[in-house]
């Protein structure tokens, strides 16, 4: 099955029918083959795709939808000639949900020169991209199934020719959670997360993130980014009072117990997040998209601005701590619908939904 655009810009669906053969004798039951062409809004396609909400053929709404779609297709075609196409991780845009690693969504990223791969958790609830760095106690592998394991690499600035520590006078170092390591002349950081006693501490370094266009084959895109290196085998106090660390200090809490054991990819709004860096350097527009499949496989793209006719939800921007915060106005538990308004953060780095009253009680009472 394939898709093709008509001369008018509307989408057609082509369904091919080949010859049928007798599997035992190899005798053909037909001597020719061909295919039928059906328009997207035809009754055949509507039945085949089981789509709801398409207008009835021959109605005013039908022709209005046709014209609207043609306009969008032409607009997208013109837009791709003037803006950069979406990009994703080099090697593909696939994301995976891994139950044994905290039910978070993961992807393989490639960093440094020569390039090295890391399996990182994707987190819209934080900004920093960090990797375990120069450590002896960090996880080196994890078991996928019985008898099969995946190797986990450890980042080391000394082995990447494109790596350099972020100096103390950098503008990104002037933040409450970052301070200067005078002895190393490098910007140090500490990030504390929602989960109890979970944090990462280290220094910031500049290096290259290897990306590619979301095409097949990919065109390589090497983007200079800032990331954090977190060491696993030093006590927290050493970080602030001693200079015997190189890349960072420790990971605590869930980062040592099965979640994001090979790094965390912050996708937040701060200027240090990778989407923000890509936009500021002109690689993509300041947007990205993530899709999640019920089976745990999804995809991610940077610079995806969506379509003009899609429904949108505005963010509640808080200047002190900008997050993907949205307003929820209604809760439905089976057929019971309750009008209730509260704000919530969309966070791919959190495995569970956390609700306060009265929203929590509405759901708890509805399922009891």
């Amino acid at each position: 099955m394939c898709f093709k655009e008509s001369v008018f810009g509307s989408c057609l669906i082509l369904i091919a029918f080949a010859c049928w053969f007798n599997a035992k004798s190899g005798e053909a039951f037909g001597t020719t083959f061909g295919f039928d062409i059906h328009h997207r809004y035809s009754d055949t396609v509507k039945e085949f795709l089981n789509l709801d909400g398409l207008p009835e053929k021959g109605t005013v709404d039908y022709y209005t939808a046709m014209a609207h779609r043609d306009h969008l297709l032409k607009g997208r075609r013109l837009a791709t000639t003037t803006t950069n196409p979406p990009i994703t991780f080099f090697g593909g845009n696939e994301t995976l949900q891994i139950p044994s690693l905290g039910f978070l969504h993961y992807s393989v990223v490639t960093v440094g020169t020569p390039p090295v791969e890391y399996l990182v958790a994707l987190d819209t609830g934080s900004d920093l991209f960090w990797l375990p760095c120069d450590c002896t106690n960090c996880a080196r592998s994890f078991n996928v199934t019985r008898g099969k394991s995946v190797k986990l690499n450890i980042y080391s600035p000394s082995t990447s020719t494109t790596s350099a520590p972020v100096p103390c006078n950098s503008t990104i170092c002037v933040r409450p959670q970052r301070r200067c390591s005078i002895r190393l002349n490098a910007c140090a950081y500490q990030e504390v997360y929602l989960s109890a006693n979970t944090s990462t501490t280290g220094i910031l370094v500049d290096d290259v993130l290897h990306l590619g266009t979301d095409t097949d084959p990919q065109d390589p895109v090497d983007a200079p980014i800032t990331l954090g290196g977190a060491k696993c085998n030093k006590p927290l106090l050493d970080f602030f009072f001693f200079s015997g660390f190189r890349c960072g200090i420790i990971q605590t809490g869930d980062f040592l117990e099965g979640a994001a054991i090979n790094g965390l990819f912050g996708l937040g709004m701060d200027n240090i997040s990778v989407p923000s860096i890509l936009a500021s350097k002109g690689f993509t527009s300041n947007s990205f998209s993530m899709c999640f499949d019920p089976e745990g496989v999804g995809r991610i793209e940077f610079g995806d601005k969506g379509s003009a006719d899609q429904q949108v939800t505005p963010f509640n921007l808080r200047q002190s701590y900008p997050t993907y915060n949205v307003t929820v106005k209604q809760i439905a538990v089976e057929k019971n619908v309750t009008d209730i308004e509260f704000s919530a953060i969309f966070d791919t780095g959190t495995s569970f939904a956390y609700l306060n009253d009265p929203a929590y009680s509405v759901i708890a009472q509805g399922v009891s």
Side-chain angles (χ1 to χ4, degrees), residues 110-118 210:
T110 308
V111 177
T113 307
V116 180
E117 292 184 341
Y118 306 89
H210 300 281

Side-chain angles (χ1 to χ4, degrees), residues 54-303:
L54 292 180
E56 291 297 327
K57 184 178 180 180
T59 64
V60 174
D61 289 340
Y62 169 82
Y63 293 109
T64 301
M66 288 267 292
H68 180 61
R69 178 170 177 77
D70 291 348
H71 176 75
L72 291 177
L73 287 171
K74 292 178 181 179
R76 281 189 176 184
R77 193 182 303 113
L78 292 173
T80 56
T81 62
T82 57
T83 60
N84 294 329
I87 59 179
T88 189
F89 300 127
F90 189 78
N93 63 8
E94 186 178 68
T95 66
L96 298 170
Q97 186 186 69
I98 305 178
S100 61
L101 293 180
F103 285 91
L104 305 180
H105 294 273
Y106 291 81
S107 193
V108 176
V109 302
T110 308
V111 177
T113 307
V116 180
E117 292 184 341
Y118 306 89
L119 181 69
V120 298
L122 304 172
D123 184 17
T124 60
S126 64
D127 304 297
L128 183 66
F129 169 30
W130 61 264
L131 297 171
C133 175
D134 282 342
C135 52
T136 58
N137 293 337
C138 298
R140 300 281 177 166
S141 66
F142 82 95
N143 294 325
V144 181
T145 58
R146 292 183 179 180
K148 183 179 180 181
S149 63
V150 174
K151 177 184 177 183
L152 301 177
N153 293 311
I154 305 300
Y155 178 75
S156 179
S158 62
T159 60
S160 175
T161 59
T162 49
S163 175
V166 174
C168 294
N169 60 2
S170 172
T171 55
I172 66 174
C173 199
V174 187
R175 294 294 178 90
Q177 67 270 37
R178 303 166 200 160
R179 63 179 70 184
C180 179
S181 170
I182 300 176
R183 185 71 63 88
L184 293 178
N185 189 30
C187 181
Y189 75 90
Q190 183 180 45
E191 295 285 341
V192 180
Y193 296 85
L194 178 64
S195 299
N197 302 316
T198 298
S199 66
T200 174
T201 310
I203 65 168
L204 300 180
V205 295
D206 291 328
D207 211 330
V208 174
L209 174 64
H210 300 281
L211 303 169
T213 55
D214 194 20
T215 57
D216 186 15
Q218 285 185 300
D219 293 326
V221 178
D222 294 337
I225 50 95
T226 299
L227 66 145
K231 208 165 184 177
C232 306
N233 58 337
K234 292 283 185 177
L236 181 61
L237 291 179
D238 283 358
F239 173 71
F240 295 115
F241 301 107
F242 294 91
S243 59
F245 64 93
R246 295 182 180 181
C247 197
I249 298 296
I250 64 170
Q251 300 166 53
T252 63
D254 288 351
F255 296 149
L256 296 178
E257 299 172 1
I261 58 177
N262 199 218
L264 192 73
F265 198 92
L267 293 162
M269 294 183 174
D270 192 64
N271 62 355
I272 201 173
S273 73
V274 171
S276 298
I277 293 176
L278 295 178
S280 66
K281 295 183 181 297
F283 287 98
T284 67
S285 59
N286 194 12
S287 62
F288 70 96
S289 65
M290 295 181 70
C291 291
F292 306 106
D293 184 270
E295 301 299 323
V297 178
R299 60 103 173 140
I300 182 171
E301 290 178 341
F302 302 101

